[in-house]
């Protein structure tokens, strides 16, 4: 017989009880975990400097692998002044390469979401990062604009590791701290977009100055560094990672503690949940905008203010490096808002922060002095990246059965937003970069409005309070993803445990819905 809470999704549910209070963060004293856990064995505490298996080790593996992929995907922009001279790139070529770098990830993130649901985040992350390593090495061989665009397209596939990163955190950490966990892992991974602005120019200068390589050779050799990093991190994830608190998918399937779900049903419940579509759309105007800025900001400072290459790279790096605090800060803010105002607090905070990001983006486009432009860029980064953390403070509650695909839909929406904003405002000569930034800010404000349409019957939305209907409970919301036949087999047990643990989304200042007698799940669920 499986132990209580043996996995996140689709456990057999043969245990006798599954509704255990986590209000004090304690669990069965016989637990073998280093961190306190809830009834699903998800950690209720977050210890940043711990590498304990499985919770904190999964955290560090996920953010470092995503960080590596960010470095490789955006390794070209800080070297663009050299690369464009070597390959005779036009502004249109550079714009198309930027679009290509985030186009492939739309598809790859959807695939990654399905992989996480079916085979687990460990295999999904490891295979994606290693499969894209050859594309990183191929950058050293390109000789035409077309080749440059194609290589950036295939390297961009690696950003699908964001989905495995967020899925992993959502299965390892309790709902009360999932915003923090997702924000930290996603934010520290996103730092790669800033770190590469520092790393690649320094590597280039080292190869060019210390080893005597020509400029057109040095930039090519520099790409071997992120290429080898891909292989190393892929092996680390494969060897050291663990899918769920209680083990890997394969072993749990073999032991009968996790059911192999039907992909068609998982897919159906993902694409028919309108909340996933709205969050994917709005994510395009926080994370998508961040990707666009990563592609254009170094060249913008280099050309507008006539800076040295390494100086422009250093300034541009501050945008991405702000992720060390801004995206985690968004996740923490989401959790704080939820503790007081429930899910409605998460949604309101998301809308406010992302709208402020749009306003600061407009301001950035109108900044004419170097000092002001740097200051406003940092302010913009805090709001933009904070909104990313806030978005993934909501996504884990949209669905439990289809968590992977919905995480993938959110990530794909981010990439789609990057493609659209770069195509509209930074491709060709229709707009100057300054005008493009201001117009993008307006687009952010307008495209954040749909957050107001998200509504959970058991928790409410930005405008409407929770439903007073008798069936508007957490158990009913998550139980509706399972058929009666599946419920009789106990396949829904993990979802019901999450429903019990997610009562905190009612908030302390929002009228709570009635709790089933004795903390048990209603019979209808």
């Amino acid at each position: 017989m499986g132990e209580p809470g043996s996995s996140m999704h689709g456990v057999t549910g043969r245990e006798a009880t599954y509704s255990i209070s986590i209000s004090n963060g304690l669990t069965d004293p016989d637990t073998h975990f280093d961190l306190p856990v809830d009834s699903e064995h998800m950690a209720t505490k977050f210890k940043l400097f711990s590498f304990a298996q499985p919770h904190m080790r999964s955290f560090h593996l996920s953010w470092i692998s995503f960080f590596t992929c960010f470095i490789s995907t955006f390794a070209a922009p800080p070297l663009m002044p050299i690369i464009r001279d070597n390959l005779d790139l036009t502004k249109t070529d550079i714009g198309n390469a930027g679009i290509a770098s985030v186009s492939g990830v739309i598809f790859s993130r959807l695939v990654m979401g399905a992989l996480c649901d079916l085979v687990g985040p460990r295999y999904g992350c490891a295979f994606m990062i290693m499969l894209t390593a050859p594309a990183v090495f191929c950058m050293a061989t390109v000789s035409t604009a077309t080749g440059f665009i194609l290589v950036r397209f295939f390297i961009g596939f690696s950003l699908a590791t964001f989905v495995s990163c967020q899925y992993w955190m959502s299965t390892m950490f309790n709902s009360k701290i999932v915003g923090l966990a997702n924000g930290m892992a996603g934010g520290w991974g996103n730092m790669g977009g800033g770190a590469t602005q520092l790393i690649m120019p320094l590597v280039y200068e080292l190869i060019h100055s210390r080893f005597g390589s020509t400029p057109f050779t040095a930039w090519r050799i520099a790409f071997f560094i992120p290429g080898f990093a891909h292989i190393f991190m892929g092996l680390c994830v494969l060897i050291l990672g663990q899918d769920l608190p209680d083990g890997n998918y394969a072993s749990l399937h073999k032991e009968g503690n996790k059911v192999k779900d039907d992909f068609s049903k998982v897919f159906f419940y993902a694409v028919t949940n309108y909340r996933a579509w709205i969050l994917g759309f709005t994510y395009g105007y926080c994370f998508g905008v961040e990707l666009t800025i990563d592609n254009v900001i170094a060249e913008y400072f280099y050309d507008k203010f006539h800076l040295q290459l390494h100086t422009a790279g250093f300034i541009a790096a501050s945008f991405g490096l702000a992720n060390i605090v801004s995206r985690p800060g968004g996740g923490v803010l989401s959790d704080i808002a939820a503790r007081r105002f429930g899910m409605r607090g998460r949604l309101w905070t998301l809308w406010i922060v992302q709208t402020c990001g749009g306003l600061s983006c407009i301001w950035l486009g109108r900044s004419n002095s170097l000092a002001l432009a740097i200051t406003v860029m940092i302010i913009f980064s805090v709001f933009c990246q904070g909104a990313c953390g806030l978005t993934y403070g909501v996504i884990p509650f949209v669905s439990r059965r289809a968590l992977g695909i919905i995480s993938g839909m959110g990530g794909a929406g981010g990439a789609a937003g990057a493609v659209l904003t770069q195509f509209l405002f930074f491709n060709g000569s229709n707009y100057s970069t300054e005008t493009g930034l201001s117009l993008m800010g307006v687009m952010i404000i307008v495209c954040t409005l749909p957050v107001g349409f998200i509504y959970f019957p058991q928790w409410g939305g930005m405008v409407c309070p929770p439903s007073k209907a008798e069936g508007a409970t957490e158990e009913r919301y998550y139980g509706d993803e399972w058929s009666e036949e599946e419920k009789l087999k106990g396949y829904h047990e993990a979802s019901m445990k999450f429903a019990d643990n997610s009562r905190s989304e009612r908030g302390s200042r929002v009228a709570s819905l009635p709790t089933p007698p004795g903390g048990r799940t209603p019979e209808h669920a």
Side-chain angles (χ1 to χ4, degrees):
M1 181 177 292
E3 295 178 359
S6 54
S7 75
M8 179 65 196
H9 292 288
V11 295
T12 57
R14 289 174 288 181
E15 55 269 19
T17 63
Y18 53 82
S19 180
I20 302 174
S21 173
I22 60 164
S23 59
N24 59 2
L26 299 178
T27 187
D28 188 337
D30 294 330
T31 182
H32 58 281
F33 300 105
D34 290 334
L35 299 179
V37 295
D38 64 11
S39 58
E40 297 175 273
H41 290 173
M42 295 198 292
T44 58
K45 287 188 178 180
F46 187 90
K47 293 185 178 180
L48 179 60
F49 299 107
S50 168
F51 202 70
Q53 177 81 320
H55 305 95
M56 295 312 301
R57 185 178 297 182
S58 298
F59 165 75
H60 289 295
L61 288 173
S62 65
W63 82 259
I64 296 174
S65 59
F66 185 39
F67 178 91
T68 301
C69 294
F70 237 104
I71 286 179
S72 59
T73 300
F74 294 100
L79 302 179
M80 194 57 70
I82 308 300
I83 297 173
R84 70 186 180 188
D85 291 341
N86 187 191
L87 302 180
D88 295 322
L89 301 178
T90 65
K91 185 174 182 179
T92 300
D93 292 331
I94 295 171
N96 287 336
I99 293 172
S101 69
V102 292
S103 296
V105 74
I106 298 174
F107 170 74
S108 65
R109 284 187 169 182
L110 291 172
V111 172
M112 179 64 82
L115 288 175
C116 287
D117 279 326
L118 298 177
V119 301
R122 172 172 152 267
Y123 276 150
C125 178
F127 290 164
M128 184 61 70
I129 196 172
M130 287 195 288
L131 285 173
T132 51
V136 184
F137 289 119
C138 281
M139 184 61 83
T141 68
V142 298
S143 58
T144 64
T146 301
F148 178 68
I149 293 169
L150 284 174
V151 169
R152 288 211 67 192
F153 172 77
F154 287 114
I155 295 175
F157 274 59
S158 66
L159 290 184
T161 51
F162 167 77
V163 177
S164 59
C165 168
Q166 299 295 276
Y167 181 95
W168 222 343
M169 297 303 93
S170 297
T171 60
M172 287 289 176
F173 293 93
N174 175 261
S175 59
K176 290 183 179 180
I177 59 170
V178 71
L180 168 64
N182 275 336
M184 289 291 291
W188 283 24
N190 282 3
M191 277 197 306
T196 195
Q197 304 282 354
L198 292 175
I199 293 171
M200 294 307 290
L202 289 175
V203 171
Y204 164 80
E205 290 291 344
L206 179 65
I207 296 170
H208 173 48
S209 303
R210 297 292 180 90
F211 297 99
S213 296
T214 66
F216 291 171
T217 300
W219 77 261
R220 296 172 184 276
I221 297 174
F223 273 85
F224 280 85
I225 301 301
F228 284 122
H230 268 240
I231 296 174
F232 176 75
M233 279 311 302
L235 292 173
C236 285
V237 170
L238 200 59
I239 295 170
L240 301 176
Q242 182 171 307
D243 290 316
L244 297 171
D246 292 293
N248 292 318
Y249 274 36
S251 60
L252 292 173
H253 287 152
K254 186 176 180 179
E255 295 167 3
N257 288 329
K258 189 180 191 309
V259 175
K260 290 185 178 180
D261 212 338
D262 186 332
F263 174 73
S264 63
K265 292 182 179 179
V266 174
F267 182 79
F268 172 80
Y269 287 114
V271 299
T272 56
N273 193 318
Y274 79 92
R275 302 166 191 84
W277 291 100
I278 291 179
L279 289 167
F281 175 75
T282 59
Y283 193 61
Y285 299 96
C286 53
F287 182 70
V289 166
E290 182 181 351
L291 295 181
T292 297
I293 293 294
D294 284 334
N295 268 325
V296 305
I297 197 66
E299 190 178 11
Y300 165 68
F301 277 103
Y302 179 86
D303 291 335
K304 182 176 176 64
F305 299 105
H306 309 291
L307 304 176
Q308 295 295 321
L309 179 62
H310 66 275
T311 305
F314 181 81
I315 295 171
S318 62
F319 179 84
L321 291 176
N323 271 294
I324 195 170
V325 293
S326 54
R327 182 159 183 157
V332 171
L333 189 59
S334 181
D335 291 337
I336 291 173
R339 281 196 286 272
R340 189 166 187 180
F341 302 104
M343 177 57 68
R344 301 180 73 185
R346 291 188 191 269
L347 296 172
W348 268 106
T349 310
L350 169 59
W351 178 79
I352 291 170
V353 170
Q354 190 157 316
T355 299
C356 288
L359 293 171
S360 56
C361 188
I362 295 173
W363 190 11
L364 177 61
R366 295 174 176 268
S367 302
N368 293 317
S369 72
L370 178 60
L372 180 61
I374 294 173
T375 301
V376 176
M377 181 193 69
I378 294 174
I379 294 172
F380 172 46
S381 70
V382 171
F383 285 120
C384 177
Q385 296 157 7
C388 295
L390 284 155
T391 300
Y392 272 83
V394 176
I395 282 180
F397 298 96
V398 173
S399 169
R400 293 316 287 176
R401 187 173 190 179
L403 175 61
I405 293 180
I406 287 178
S407 296
M409 289 170 67
V419 171
L420 185 59
T421 52
Q422 185 137 341
F423 176 77
L424 291 176
F425 307 126
F426 304 102
N427 188 42
S429 56
N430 291 335
Y431 302 106
S432 66
T433 302
E434 298 94 317
T435 302
L437 288 169
S438 294
L439 291 175
M440 186 166 67
V442 174
M443 195 171 188
I444 292 170
I445 294 171
V446 173
C447 293
T448 303
L449 294 174
V451 173
F453 295 105
I454 296 176
Y455 181 79
F456 293 88
Q458 69 276 32
W459 301 318
M462 282 179 60
V463 179
C464 300
S467 171
K468 294 183 180 180
E470 183 179 351
T473 63
E474 290 83 356
E475 287 78 11
R476 179 63 177 272
Y477 179 81
Y478 295 111
D480 281 348
E481 295 183 317
W482 302 90
S483 68
E484 291 302 323
E485 181 180 355
E486 289 170 325
K487 290 176 183 178
L488 289 174
K489 295 179 180 179
Y491 292 173
H492 70 312
E493 295 285 341
S495 293
M496 294 300 96
K497 290 179 182 180
F498 181 80
D500 185 49
N501 291 328
S502 68
R503 295 187 195 284
S504 58
E505 293 307 303
R506 299 175 181 182
S508 62
R509 297 190 61 179
V510 178
S512 295
L513 297 174
T515 302
R520 300 258 182 183
T521 302
E523 290 184 3
H524 67 76

